[in-house]
Amino acid sequence: MTKTVIATDNAPAAIGPYVQATRVGNMIYTSGQIPLDPVTMDIVEGGIEAQTKQVMDNLMAVLAEAGADASSVLKTTCFLSDMNNFLAFNEVYASYFLAGAPARSCVEVARLPKDVLVEVEAVAYVE
C-alpha cells in the first residue's frame, strides 16, 4: 500500500497534526475542512452560507490537488454546530454537486474547531 499526502496552498494549511488529504490507490480521504481563508487563515465572516461556501471551496481545492472534483466524491460527512442551519447549509452544499450528490451523513455536534458553524470531510474515487 502506497500512501500519498495531498497538500495545496489553495486550501488552509493544517492547524494540527494532520494533512489536508491522503491518497491510497484510487481513493482520496480528506480531512475535515473548516471555513478558514487559505491566505489569511482567518475564519470567513458571515453566517452559515458564507462559512459553508468557504468550506466547500476549500474541499474542492484539496480534491483538485488530488486530481478529483465534486463528481469524484463518494461520501461526505458534514458537521453542523446547530441543526437549525441545516436548510441554509443544504442550499450551498447542493450547489457544488450539480451532477448528483454523494452519500452523506450530517450531524449536529457540540463544538467545532475555532467555534466555526460547519465542517465537511469527503471520500472520493479517482481513476
Side-chain angles (χ1 to χ4, degrees):
M1 171 182 83
T2 302
K3 182 170 81 168
T4 304
V5 171
I6 306 300
T8 178
D9 291 336
N10 295 322
I15 57 173
Y18 61 90
V19 296
Q20 292 171 328
T22 303
R23 180 176 179 157
V24 178
N26 293 49
M27 302 300 296
I28 308 296
Y29 302 90
T30 76
S31 292
Q33 294 297 310
I34 62 173
L36 291 175
D37 178 295
V39 174
T40 66
M41 293 297 287
D42 292 329
I43 298 167
V44 297
E45 301 215 5
I48 188 65
E49 293 90 350
Q51 287 200 9
T52 301
K53 181 183 182 318
Q54 187 65 56
V55 164
M56 297 304 292
D57 287 347
N58 293 344
L59 184 63
M60 294 303 139
V62 172
L63 290 169
E65 185 67 24
D69 59 24
S71 69
S72 308
V73 177
L74 302 174
K75 168 100 170 48
T76 61
T77 305
C78 308
F79 306 93
L80 301 177
S81 64
D82 184 347
M83 199 54 81
N84 289 318
N85 289 328
F86 185 74
L87 292 177
F89 164 77
N90 268 343
E91 285 186 32
V92 177
Y93 174 92
S95 71
Y96 286 81
F97 295 106
L98 300 176
R104 179 179 90 175
S105 299
C106 187
V107 297
E108 179 180 287
V109 295
R111 195 169 180 199
L112 289 165
K114 297 188 173 279
D115 294 317
V116 299
L117 303 176
V118 59
E119 180 174 358
V120 178
E121 64 182 28
V123 176
Y125 179 85
V126 291
E127 295 291 333

